[in-house]
Amino acid sequence: MRGHILGVDVRTGEGLLTGQDGQRYRFGPADWADRGEPARGLEVDFESEGGRALSIYPVPGAVAVTRPEFAVSAPARAPRNDRNKLIAALLAFLLGPLGIHRFYTGRTGSGIVMLVLSITVIGLFVTVPWGFIDMIRYLMMSDEEFERRYPR
């Protein structure tokens, strides 16, 4: 039977293809019978058994076609950062003059400076607005920007 590859998980090699009969078939790396790797949209010839595609070969002269009907939506990306911008903003609001939010975001140098400055009354005139401005910045920042600026 002939069909087209809908998508392949590059981590596991597991994939999904659609046959001429309109059914979808799953396949694994061992089912791919040709050199190279399967590509989304590639026209293939295969044998089917149940819901599985076996002995998958690319059709000679076929190239991967990227058409909208073969598009597979990407899975939602899990956050790579365990820091939360709302917690950072809350720490900046409640303990801003002490610089605790700076320690939380990994900026220990400026956190120490804020902590030392907050010991004096004159230093509080600097650290209170500094903490408030940081809180506003965290709240205005997108999650992606926060993750990029403050990686774990």
Side-chain angles (χ1 to χ4, degrees), residues 4-8 16-18 24 27 39-41 69-72:
H4 289 91
I5 295 178
L6 294 175
V8 179
L16 186 67
L17 61 84
T18 183
R24 291 184 176 193
F27 66 90
R40 184 175 62 186
E69 62 265 23
F70 299 127
V72 177

Side-chain angles (χ1 to χ4, degrees), residues 65-88:
V65 180
T66 51
R67 298 192 313 224
E69 62 265 23
F70 299 127
V72 177
S73 61
R77 182 179 63 83
R80 295 179 300 206
N81 194 348
D82 60 345
R83 294 181 178 137
N84 187 330
K85 74 175 190 174
L86 296 176
I87 292 175

Side-chain angles (χ1 to χ4, degrees), residues 47-68:
E47 297 173 12
S48 65
E49 184 177 297
R52 199 104 186 123
L54 307 170
S55 301
I56 306 168
Y57 289 93
V59 172
V63 292
V65 180
T66 51
R67 298 192 313 224

Side-chain angles (χ1 to χ4, degrees), residues 115-128:
L115 192 59
V116 169
L117 281 175
S118 65
I119 293 172
T120 65
V121 175
I122 295 174
L124 286 175
F125 287 112
V126 173
T127 58
V128 169

Side-chain angles (χ1 to χ4, degrees), residues 5-149:
I5 295 178
L6 294 175
V8 179
D9 184 349
V10 293
R11 293 170 291 159
T12 64
E14 296 288 320
L16 186 67
L17 61 84
T18 183
Q20 289 175 329
D21 59 356
Q23 300 289 350
R24 291 184 176 193
Y25 299 93
R26 296 198 173 280
F27 66 90
D31 301 320
W32 185 252
D34 192 52
R35 290 186 180 165
E37 296 181 7
R40 184 175 62 186
L42 184 67
E43 186 178 1
V44 293
D45 187 49
F46 65 97
E47 297 173 12
S48 65
E49 184 177 297
R52 199 104 186 123
L54 307 170
S55 301
I56 306 168
Y57 289 93
V59 172
V63 292
V65 180
T66 51
R67 298 192 313 224
E69 62 265 23
F70 299 127
V72 177
S73 61
R77 182 179 63 83
R80 295 179 300 206
N81 194 348
D82 60 345
R83 294 181 178 137
N84 187 330
K85 74 175 190 174
L86 296 176
I87 292 175
L90 186 65
L91 288 172
F93 180 72
L94 297 175
L95 302 169
L98 299 176
I100 303 302
H101 62 288
R102 289 287 179 150
F103 289 104
Y104 177 74
T105 58
R107 310 287 185 184
T108 39
S110 58
I112 291 171
V113 169
M114 288 182 80
L115 192 59
V116 169
L117 281 175
S118 65
I119 293 172
T120 65
V121 175
I122 295 174
L124 286 175
F125 287 112
V126 173
T127 58
V128 169
W130 188 356
F132 186 73
I133 290 169
D134 280 348
M135 178 195 68
I136 300 294
R137 282 184 46 239
Y138 297 149
L139 292 175
M140 300 291 286
M141 207 178 286
S142 69
D143 290 335
E144 292 80 21
E145 176 71 14
F146 185 83
E147 185 177 298
R148 188 180 62 75
R149 281 191 182 203

